[in-house]
mmCIF file of all heavy atoms in Angstrom:
data_model
loop_
_atom_site.group_PDB
_atom_site.id
_atom_site.type_symbol
_atom_site.label_atom_id
_atom_site.label_comp_id
_atom_site.label_asym_id
_atom_site.label_seq_id
_atom_site.Cartn_x
_atom_site.Cartn_y
_atom_site.Cartn_z
ATOM 1 N N GLY A 51 -39.318 11.597 -6.309
ATOM 2 C CA GLY A 51 -39.073 10.208 -5.860
ATOM 3 C C GLY A 51 -37.588 9.846 -5.631
ATOM 4 O O GLY A 51 -37.333 8.656 -5.349
ATOM 5 N N ASP A 52 -36.654 10.755 -5.910
ATOM 6 C CA ASP A 52 -35.229 10.434 -5.781
ATOM 7 C C ASP A 52 -34.855 10.629 -4.237
ATOM 8 O O ASP A 52 -33.689 10.207 -3.908
ATOM 9 C CB ASP A 52 -34.401 11.299 -6.632
ATOM 10 C CG ASP A 52 -34.414 10.824 -8.035
ATOM 11 O OD1 ASP A 52 -35.049 9.771 -8.345
ATOM 12 O OD2 ASP A 52 -33.879 11.537 -8.928
ATOM 13 N N ALA A 53 -35.589 11.263 -3.484
ATOM 14 C CA ALA A 53 -35.159 11.599 -2.093
ATOM 15 C C ALA A 53 -34.856 10.358 -1.276
ATOM 16 O O ALA A 53 -33.820 10.291 -0.656
ATOM 17 C CB ALA A 53 -36.263 12.493 -1.429
ATOM 18 N N GLU A 54 -35.757 9.401 -1.441
ATOM 19 C CA GLU A 54 -35.504 8.152 -0.603
ATOM 20 C C GLU A 54 -34.392 7.357 -1.175
ATOM 21 O O GLU A 54 -33.553 6.792 -0.398
ATOM 22 C CB GLU A 54 -36.832 7.361 -0.584
ATOM 23 C CG GLU A 54 -36.706 6.166 0.374
ATOM 24 C CD GLU A 54 -38.054 5.519 0.579
ATOM 25 O OE1 GLU A 54 -39.027 5.855 -0.071
ATOM 26 O OE2 GLU A 54 -38.117 4.582 1.488
ATOM 27 N N TRP A 55 -34.275 7.284 -2.556
ATOM 28 C CA TRP A 55 -33.284 6.413 -3.134
ATOM 29 C C TRP A 55 -31.823 7.006 -2.909
ATOM 30 O O TRP A 55 -30.934 6.324 -2.687
ATOM 31 C CB TRP A 55 -33.534 6.212 -4.643
ATOM 32 C CG TRP A 55 -32.433 5.467 -5.341
ATOM 33 C CD1 TRP A 55 -32.309 4.170 -5.446
ATOM 34 C CD2 TRP A 55 -31.343 5.999 -6.049
ATOM 35 N NE1 TRP A 55 -31.220 3.799 -6.151
ATOM 36 C CE2 TRP A 55 -30.584 5.025 -6.485
ATOM 37 C CE3 TRP A 55 -30.875 7.405 -6.364
ATOM 38 C CZ2 TRP A 55 -29.386 5.172 -7.324
ATOM 39 C CZ3 TRP A 55 -29.790 7.534 -7.123
ATOM 40 C CH2 TRP A 55 -29.044 6.427 -7.492
ATOM 41 N N ARG A 56 -31.802 8.354 -3.086
ATOM 42 C CA ARG A 56 -30.518 9.013 -2.789
ATOM 43 C C ARG A 56 -30.235 9.248 -1.342
ATOM 44 O O ARG A 56 -29.265 9.939 -1.029
ATOM 45 C CB ARG A 56 -30.476 10.271 -3.632
ATOM 46 C CG ARG A 56 -30.538 10.039 -5.139
ATOM 47 C CD ARG A 56 -30.474 11.323 -5.981
ATOM 48 N NE ARG A 56 -29.144 11.933 -5.764
ATOM 49 C CZ ARG A 56 -28.776 12.994 -6.437
ATOM 50 N NH1 ARG A 56 -29.678 13.673 -7.262
ATOM 51 N NH2 ARG A 56 -27.578 13.565 -6.214
ATOM 52 N N ARG A 57 -31.034 8.834 -0.447
ATOM 53 C CA ARG A 57 -30.811 8.894 0.954
ATOM 54 C C ARG A 57 -30.616 10.329 1.419
ATOM 55 O O ARG A 57 -29.659 10.638 1.929
ATOM 56 C CB ARG A 57 -29.732 7.961 1.376
ATOM 57 C CG ARG A 57 -29.873 6.474 1.054
ATOM 58 C CD ARG A 57 -28.785 5.699 1.625
ATOM 59 N NE ARG A 57 -28.899 5.614 3.083
ATOM 60 C CZ ARG A 57 -27.925 4.962 3.851
ATOM 61 N NH1 ARG A 57 -27.034 4.227 3.259
ATOM 62 N NH2 ARG A 57 -27.993 5.013 5.132
ATOM 63 N N LEU A 58 -31.715 11.079 1.184
ATOM 64 C CA LEU A 58 -31.687 12.488 1.652
ATOM 65 C C LEU A 58 -32.050 12.505 3.120
ATOM 66 O O LEU A 58 -33.065 11.889 3.522
ATOM 67 C CB LEU A 58 -32.747 13.306 0.882
ATOM 68 C CG LEU A 58 -32.910 14.711 1.281
ATOM 69 C CD1 LEU A 58 -31.713 15.520 0.969
ATOM 70 C CD2 LEU A 58 -34.144 15.319 0.540
ATOM 71 N N ARG A 59 -31.180 13.012 3.899
ATOM 72 C CA ARG A 59 -31.415 12.981 5.352
ATOM 73 C C ARG A 59 -30.810 14.227 6.012
ATOM 74 O O ARG A 59 -30.022 14.954 5.382
ATOM 75 C CB ARG A 59 -30.831 11.761 5.964
ATOM 76 C CG ARG A 59 -29.308 11.662 5.909
ATOM 77 C CD ARG A 59 -28.837 10.341 6.549
ATOM 78 N NE ARG A 59 -27.364 10.140 6.393
ATOM 79 C CZ ARG A 59 -26.482 10.590 7.315
ATOM 80 N NH1 ARG A 59 -26.933 11.221 8.432
ATOM 81 N NH2 ARG A 59 -25.204 10.350 7.171
ATOM 82 N N LEU A 60 -31.267 14.487 7.225
ATOM 83 C CA LEU A 60 -30.891 15.699 7.987
ATOM 84 C C LEU A 60 -29.856 15.224 8.938
ATOM 85 O O LEU A 60 -30.089 14.215 9.722
ATOM 86 C CB LEU A 60 -32.062 16.245 8.735
ATOM 87 C CG LEU A 60 -31.881 17.714 9.355
ATOM 88 C CD1 LEU A 60 -31.608 18.723 8.326
ATOM 89 C CD2 LEU A 60 -33.076 18.031 10.220
ATOM 90 N N VAL A 61 -28.753 15.964 9.003
ATOM 91 C CA VAL A 61 -27.647 15.665 9.989
ATOM 92 C C VAL A 61 -28.130 16.313 11.325
ATOM 93 O O VAL A 61 -28.151 17.581 11.388
ATOM 94 C CB VAL A 61 -26.210 16.111 9.507
ATOM 95 C CG1 VAL A 61 -25.209 15.809 10.625
ATOM 96 C CG2 VAL A 61 -25.886 15.482 8.196
ATOM 97 N N SER A 62 -28.326 15.532 12.338
ATOM 98 C CA SER A 62 -28.911 16.069 13.518
ATOM 99 C C SER A 62 -27.842 16.844 14.242
ATOM 100 O O SER A 62 -26.681 16.410 14.479
ATOM 101 C CB SER A 62 -29.496 15.010 14.401
ATOM 102 O OG SER A 62 -29.878 15.477 15.684
ATOM 103 N N GLN A 63 -28.151 18.070 14.682
ATOM 104 C CA GLN A 63 -27.176 18.872 15.501
ATOM 105 C C GLN A 63 -27.943 19.547 16.638
ATOM 106 O O GLN A 63 -28.082 20.801 16.686
ATOM 107 C CB GLN A 63 -26.545 19.954 14.641
ATOM 108 C CG GLN A 63 -25.513 19.361 13.651
ATOM 109 C CD GLN A 63 -24.733 20.367 12.958
ATOM 110 O OE1 GLN A 63 -25.039 21.525 13.051
ATOM 111 N NE2 GLN A 63 -23.646 20.016 12.255
ATOM 112 N N GLY A 64 -28.431 18.769 17.638
ATOM 113 C CA GLY A 64 -29.060 19.298 18.744
ATOM 114 C C GLY A 64 -30.386 20.011 18.462
ATOM 115 O O GLY A 64 -31.446 19.362 18.362
ATOM 116 N N ARG A 65 -30.335 21.335 18.314
ATOM 117 C CA ARG A 65 -31.603 22.149 18.196
ATOM 118 C C ARG A 65 -32.394 21.882 16.874
ATOM 119 O O ARG A 65 -33.539 22.148 16.840
ATOM 120 C CB ARG A 65 -31.271 23.548 18.281
ATOM 121 C CG ARG A 65 -30.636 23.968 19.624
ATOM 122 C CD ARG A 65 -30.507 25.433 19.733
ATOM 123 N NE ARG A 65 -29.761 26.016 18.626
ATOM 124 C CZ ARG A 65 -29.626 27.408 18.432
ATOM 125 N NH1 ARG A 65 -30.145 28.212 19.323
ATOM 126 N NH2 ARG A 65 -28.888 27.825 17.431
ATOM 127 N N GLY A 66 -31.767 21.265 15.928
ATOM 128 C CA GLY A 66 -32.382 21.038 14.666
ATOM 129 C C GLY A 66 -33.134 19.721 14.659
ATOM 130 O O GLY A 66 -33.749 19.372 13.660
ATOM 131 N N SER A 67 -33.254 19.037 15.880
ATOM 132 C CA SER A 67 -33.988 17.781 15.937
ATOM 133 C C SER A 67 -35.466 17.996 15.929
ATOM 134 O O SER A 67 -36.218 16.970 15.925
ATOM 135 C CB SER A 67 -33.588 17.009 17.118
ATOM 136 O OG SER A 67 -33.853 17.739 18.315
ATOM 137 N N SER A 68 -35.982 19.220 16.006
ATOM 138 C CA SER A 68 -37.398 19.336 16.013
ATOM 139 C C SER A 68 -38.039 19.270 14.643
ATOM 140 O O SER A 68 -39.252 19.320 14.388
ATOM 141 C CB SER A 68 -37.738 20.822 16.536
ATOM 142 O OG SER A 68 -37.282 20.937 17.935
ATOM 143 N N VAL A 69 -37.163 19.174 13.491
ATOM 144 C CA VAL A 69 -37.680 19.069 12.246
ATOM 145 C C VAL A 69 -36.995 17.775 11.572
ATOM 146 O O VAL A 69 -35.853 17.456 12.135
ATOM 147 C CB VAL A 69 -37.366 20.268 11.281
ATOM 148 C CG1 VAL A 69 -38.181 21.476 11.823
ATOM 149 C CG2 VAL A 69 -35.904 20.617 11.222
ATOM 150 N N GLU A 70 -37.516 17.251 10.566
ATOM 151 C CA GLU A 70 -36.984 16.052 9.866
ATOM 152 C C GLU A 70 -37.332 16.029 8.456
ATOM 153 O O GLU A 70 -38.173 16.765 8.015
ATOM 154 C CB GLU A 70 -37.476 14.744 10.563
ATOM 155 C CG GLU A 70 -38.938 14.646 10.456
ATOM 156 C CD GLU A 70 -39.443 13.351 11.165
ATOM 157 O OE1 GLU A 70 -38.673 12.741 11.968
ATOM 158 O OE2 GLU A 70 -40.642 12.983 10.932
ATOM 159 N N VAL A 71 -36.670 15.229 7.690
ATOM 160 C CA VAL A 71 -36.914 15.059 6.224
ATOM 161 C C VAL A 71 -37.801 13.863 6.068
ATOM 162 O O VAL A 71 -37.482 12.712 6.492
ATOM 163 C CB VAL A 71 -35.573 14.866 5.453
ATOM 164 C CG1 VAL A 71 -35.881 14.657 3.946
ATOM 165 C CG2 VAL A 71 -34.799 16.121 5.619
ATOM 166 N N SER A 72 -38.947 14.054 5.341
ATOM 167 C CA SER A 72 -39.837 12.995 4.940
ATOM 168 C C SER A 72 -39.155 12.113 3.920
ATOM 169 O O SER A 72 -38.703 12.542 2.915
ATOM 170 C CB SER A 72 -41.144 13.474 4.528
ATOM 171 O OG SER A 72 -41.928 12.421 4.015
ATOM 172 N N GLY A 73 -39.026 10.802 4.171
ATOM 173 C CA GLY A 73 -38.291 9.929 3.364
ATOM 174 C C GLY A 73 -38.921 9.777 2.001
ATOM 175 O O GLY A 73 -38.275 9.644 0.994
ATOM 176 N N ALA A 74 -40.254 9.762 1.903
ATOM 177 C CA ALA A 74 -40.974 9.484 0.699
ATOM 178 C C ALA A 74 -41.015 10.670 -0.126
ATOM 179 O O ALA A 74 -40.642 10.624 -1.437
ATOM 180 C CB ALA A 74 -42.363 8.924 0.996
ATOM 181 N N SER A 75 -41.425 11.854 0.368
ATOM 182 C CA SER A 75 -41.566 13.050 -0.432
ATOM 183 C C SER A 75 -40.413 13.963 -0.409
ATOM 184 O O SER A 75 -40.253 14.786 -1.282
ATOM 185 C CB SER A 75 -42.815 13.841 0.181
ATOM 186 O OG SER A 75 -42.531 14.307 1.432
ATOM 187 N N GLY A 76 -39.467 13.755 0.481
ATOM 188 C CA GLY A 76 -38.321 14.682 0.572
ATOM 189 C C GLY A 76 -38.679 16.028 1.116
ATOM 190 O O GLY A 76 -37.857 16.963 0.937
ATOM 191 N N ALA A 77 -39.801 16.212 1.825
ATOM 192 C CA ALA A 77 -40.161 17.492 2.315
ATOM 193 C C ALA A 77 -39.636 17.603 3.726
ATOM 194 O O ALA A 77 -39.341 16.633 4.462
ATOM 195 C CB ALA A 77 -41.724 17.588 2.386
ATOM 196 N N LEU A 78 -39.393 18.953 4.116
ATOM 197 C CA LEU A 78 -38.870 19.230 5.469
ATOM 198 C C LEU A 78 -40.119 19.423 6.343
ATOM 199 O O LEU A 78 -40.893 20.364 6.005
ATOM 200 C CB LEU A 78 -37.968 20.370 5.485
ATOM 201 C CG LEU A 78 -37.314 20.823 6.761
ATOM 202 C CD1 LEU A 78 -36.393 19.757 7.126
ATOM 203 C CD2 LEU A 78 -36.586 22.131 6.585
#
Side-chain angles (χ1 to χ4, degrees):
D52 284 354
E54 186 172 6
W55 179 82
R56 297 184 65 178
R57 298 186 66 180
L58 177 67
R59 63 183 177 90
L60 188 68
V61 179
S62 177
Q63 290 188 348
R65 300 187 303 174
S67 60
S68 298
V69 294
E70 63 183 10
V71 177
S72 174
S75 64
L78 186 66

